[in-house]
Each structure stands twice: as structure tokens, then as C-alpha cells.
Amino acid sequence: MAEKVNNFPPLPKFIPLKPCFYQNFTDEIPIDHQNLVQRIYRLWMFYCITLGVNLVACLAWWIGGGYGVNFGLALLWLLLFSPCSYVCWFRPVYKAFRSDSSFNFMVFFFIFSAQFVLAAIQAIGISNWGACGWLAAVTFFSTNVGAAVIMLLPAIMFTLSALAMFVCLLRVHRLYRGGGGSFQKAQDEWQSGLWRNPPTREAQFSNFSRSSLPEYPTVPNYPGGNRWP
């Protein structure tokens, strides 16, 4: 079997750094859930783009008469949340569907719920929080109309991000509970240590081919996406 080489993030060859993760939806994610996991991945990319647009809007906010602290915080959020959101909630849900890991599902539910609350707060746009949300954009019309119009764009994008996160959270939770997942299963994985390095799908298949019982289910036993309302 060919060795899997890390391929994410896809860095240019002239950068003396190597990718940190291996990601392949077709090979590692069960076919019934590939579409959902890819949508969550695109949601992560959309949120990163939103943070970049928010940085530009905060610059316009500053130039139009706002406070520079918003621009500084917007830059911090972009540099911090872009990689952290990938590591802290996308990778857990990717590994959860890849190996049917209840522990990773629980990590995803906990962190992704906090991410949803954060995106909702950013959509609101509290002053001096580094986010151009609705409150910040609407109240700034009396100061600078041009800057306020630019600030409306990240407000809309933060709102769409929050709504999409809420839908994804419900979707994954329904699939997990429908497949018999529970907090007890996550505790069992933690106590047994399987959460550190759960068997891959190839290893699980190999266990079957040797007529031995696998330590882990071969694929997540969740209902297909088209069976949910």
C-alpha cells in the first residue's frame, strides 16, 4: 500500500515548509458522507474568506473615523482563527467520519458550538471587538456612508457563516445520534486510548480479510444523507 504523504495545506515548493495533514475525501471518507464533509470544509474556507473581508472592512472603518483597535483585532482573528478552526473543528469531524470516532464527534460538537456562538457575535458587530457586524455597520452610516457600506459585506458574510454552522451542527448531530452514537462511547474511546490513533479504513479492511474481529467498525454506520428531512 502506498505511503500517504501529507498534502494540506498545499504550499508552494519555494516555501521551506511541508504540509502538516493528509486529506483525501474520496479515499478516507465513506461515500455516503463525503458530500457533507466537503460542505463543512467549504464552510471553513468561507469563514476564512469572511475573516479576510472583515480585515479590509475594519481598515475602511479605521480610515473613515473609527478606532484602530478594530483593525488590529481583525488581523489577529484572521491569523488565529483561520488555522485554529481547521485544526480544532474541521479535523475532528473529518477524523470522526473517517474512523467512526465518537471522541472526535464530541470534540467537534463542543468546539463547533463555540465557533457558532463566536460567529453570531461577530455578525452582531460589537464595537472594539474587531468585527464589522450589523450593529457596527448600521451605526457608522451617520459618520461615513462609504465605509459603512463596505462594513455591511462582512456583516452579511458573518451572518451566513453562523447560519451555515448551525445547520451543519444539527446535521452532524442527527447523523451521529441516528447511528447510535453517545457520550458513553466517547468515554470508552478515551479510556481505551483509541482516540489517539484510531484504525484507518484500510487497516480495518485488513482485519476483516484476516478473519479477525476489528477493534473499530469498518465504516460509520450512519443513515445516508438522502434519508433525512
Side-chain angles (χ1 to χ4, degrees), residues 47 50-51 54 115-127 129-138 151-163 165:
Y47 182 68
T50 301
L51 293 175
N54 178 66
Q115 175 71 86
F116 162 70
V117 173
L118 175 62
I121 293 175
Q122 290 173 319
I124 294 173
I126 301 174
S127 182
W129 275 46
C132 293
W134 292 103
L135 186 61
V138 172
M151 293 166 62
L152 283 176
L153 184 57
I156 296 173
M157 296 177 72
F158 277 129
T159 302
L160 294 176
S161 295
L163 291 175
M165 288 174 185

Side-chain angles (χ1 to χ4, degrees), residues 60 66 109 162 183 222:
F109 291 142
F183 184 72
Y222 304 120

Side-chain angles (χ1 to χ4, degrees), residues 32-118:
D32 288 340
H33 309 295
Q34 289 177 8
N35 191 34
L36 175 59
V37 177
Q38 288 174 342
R39 288 180 180 178
I40 298 176
Y41 175 66
R42 288 193 289 267
L43 174 58
W44 169 77
M45 291 193 296
F46 180 77
Y47 182 68
C48 293
I49 294 173
T50 301
L51 293 175
V53 174
N54 178 66
L55 178 65
V56 176
C58 282
L59 178 60
W61 190 4
W62 186 13
I63 295 175
Y67 297 102
V69 65
N70 291 301
F71 177 78
L73 288 174
L75 179 60
L76 176 63
W77 302 153
L78 176 62
L79 297 178
L80 180 64
F81 290 149
S82 294
C84 287
S85 57
Y86 179 87
V87 174
C88 295
W89 57 259
F90 175 72
R91 285 300 297 180
V93 76
Y94 182 91
K95 292 187 290 184
F97 279 109
R98 181 187 66 186
S99 304
D100 190 18
S101 170
S102 291
F103 177 81
N104 280 296
F105 271 116
M106 289 299 168
V107 172
F108 169 75
F109 291 142
F110 179 77
I111 298 179
F112 197 65
S113 297
Q115 175 71 86
F116 162 70
V117 173
L118 175 62

Side-chain angles (χ1 to χ4, degrees), residues 12-18:
K13 294 183 179 180
F14 63 85
I15 295 180
L17 298 174
K18 295 183 178 180

